[in-house]
Amino acid sequence: MAYRYRCGECGFSTRWTTESEAEDLSVAHYADRHPQLVPGGSVEINRKNPEAVGCLPLIGIALLLFLIIASCQR
């Protein structure tokens, strides 16, 4: 999963990253831009894995198995 924090005071939002890094970025933003306020805002969760390659590995494995089966029948 990936997380992104949005500032409750301005239009700032962190990049999609890990939960702890997004929180650190949010706290750093509040310290820099809103030092008199307690960090707040909202968090968004992207449940998709940003590093996933989808079904590509399954297609590759299926193709490899097909080639093995085809070569064994000769």
Side-chain angles (χ1 to χ4, degrees):
M1 282 192 276
Y3 296 83
R4 175 169 65 185
Y5 279 79
R6 290 192 178 271
C7 179
E9 314 306 321
C10 65
F12 173 79
S13 65
T14 65
R15 64 183 179 274
W16 289 106
T17 186
T18 63
E19 183 177 16
S20 60
E21 186 178 0
E23 184 177 5
D24 290 345
L25 292 169
S26 175
V27 169
H29 167 76
Y30 266 85
D32 184 48
R33 301 291 179 155
H34 315 291
Q36 69 281 8
L37 299 176
V38 174
S42 61
V43 63
E44 295 178 76
I45 301 173
N46 182 353
R47 298 198 185 281
K48 295 180 182 177
N49 184 351
E51 297 178 18
V53 290
C55 62
L56 188 59
L58 292 177
I59 293 172
I61 292 170
L63 182 60
L64 182 62
L65 288 174
F66 177 74
L67 289 172
I68 292 171
I69 291 169
S71 67
C72 289
Q73 291 181 355
R74 290 186 180 175

